[in-house]
Amino acid sequence: MSILDSSEINHVEDFGGFIEASPSSYHAAQTVARRLEARGFKQMLETDPMPVQPGGHFFIRDGAVIAWFIPEGVEDPTFRIVGCHTDSPGLKVKPSGSSSTPDGWGQIDVEMYGGLLLNSWLDREIGFAGRVILRDGTERLVQTGPIARVPQLAIHLDRDINSGFKLDKQKHMQPVWTLGDKTLFEHIGDLLGVEAKDIVGHDLMSYAVQPPARFGLDGEFFAAGRQDNLSSVHAGLTALERMQDSDFADIAVFAAFDHEEVGSSTRSGASGPILETTLRRIAAGLGRDEDGYHRMLAGTTCISADAGHFVHPNYAERHDPNNHPMPGAGPMLKLNANQRYASDAVGAGLWSRACEAAEVPSQAFVSNNSVPCGSTIGPLTATRLGITTVDVGIGLLSMHSAREMSHVSDHLMLSRVLEEYWKGA
């Protein structure tokens, strides 16, 4: 008998559809936009005057989307921010696009984006998706089918491969995709109905074409690519979709940044000005002067939602011996003494209140002292804005793999906690 209820199953199935509709950060931003519009949010251009009338608003910048909801009748509002990111590690197409070997193999020329698990992309059918810029300045989204594969060397040609092997990022990670002489941009042009010569710019990323799926004895596990960090994007989005207009306690902000996996130092990343500019413009539109804006910031908080690590059953020694986060036990509070995560005691209290209001359990994640952890948008946001920020997220196994693993229950639990946070918990 299943250990899951129908709401958890429906939620993760919706998440699976969200992943399939979001093979790149640019597609993810558009998918979020479509669903926000269905919820009643209005899209603006950044060149438009800042809308501050009650209701939901958003804009897209590249692969990032920033949304906010201004409730009616709230005196002296502050901001309640949920931050996340739309990008995931993968293979990024180089300017050359494709090339041919002396033996006649057609290969796609790629470089490594972020800290991907290289071996997870071997012997797996992959496609490419993202945006192209045409000669007339038009931006178009594009998605191929399963056109490529990074083939592994047969054991007959390397008898010691199971004793340990190292992949060279330049020599061993270039996918094969044809035996013909057609170029990748000719194929992309065919998909878009344009000439290859009219494609003057591109941001194209690999994605694994295998559909998301539940598995396990009771179907309690969920496998898919890009769960880091579309799991948090989807959790925040669905929390907004469930809320009624009267539920918002303060100005709710949903910031889905791009480029977190490569450091966030871009115009659409968390180290850039995109969030700060948005908050300043909202405050100014509400009639706040500079002092008034900083008074709003003084009461502002942020939940930085990004995936964390379950204890790995085959590598338990890599984890802290006294903190073993497990699947299905709730989203994690992520802590690090060296501030690789922004969580502190105040943020932990904020998170605890939201979990209690949502009736959701939580668990702590802290790294083994000998295995340094990564970082998130949390410290970047806290540093740039000077606001209380707490780092949280669902647990994964195989993080940064082409196909990551999570627990079905944790997805809905995270979404419910974010909903209660925006309600004022």
Side-chain angles (χ1 to χ4, degrees), residues 128-251:
F128 287 85
R131 66 176 179 179
V132 299
I133 304 300
L134 303 182
R135 192 173 301 279
D136 63 2
T138 304
E139 179 178 319
R140 300 278 296 277
L141 296 187
V142 66
Q143 178 180 359
T144 74
I147 62 171
R149 180 183 175 97
V150 183
Q152 189 169 189
L153 186 66
I155 193 170
H156 312 80
L157 303 177
D158 184 356
R159 295 291 183 177
D160 296 324
I161 196 166
N162 287 328
S163 299
F165 75 107
K166 181 177 177 61
L167 291 166
D168 185 287
K169 294 177 181 178
Q170 181 60 46
K171 294 193 298 183
H172 301 149
M173 294 303 298
Q174 308 304 307
V176 298
W177 80 296
T178 184
L179 290 172
D181 57 5
K182 192 168 190 174
T183 70
L184 176 63
F185 295 132
E186 287 173 337
H187 178 62
I188 297 296
D190 289 345
L191 294 176
L192 295 176
V194 302
E195 296 291 329
K197 63 181 176 61
D198 291 325
I199 298 174
V200 298
H202 61 88
D203 293 298
L204 299 172
M205 291 290 301
S206 64
Y207 72 97
V209 301
Q210 184 179 0
R214 289 170 55 209
F215 72 101
L217 178 61
D218 294 301
E220 67 268 45
F221 301 125
F222 181 72
R226 304 185 302 286
Q227 296 193 64
D228 176 16
N229 185 31
L230 292 185
S231 58
S232 300
V233 178
H234 182 259
L237 174 64
T238 51
L240 284 177
E241 288 175 329
R242 287 193 304 272
M243 293 180 69
Q244 302 297 314
D245 288 3
S246 58
D247 288 340
F248 294 89
D250 282 296
I251 299 174

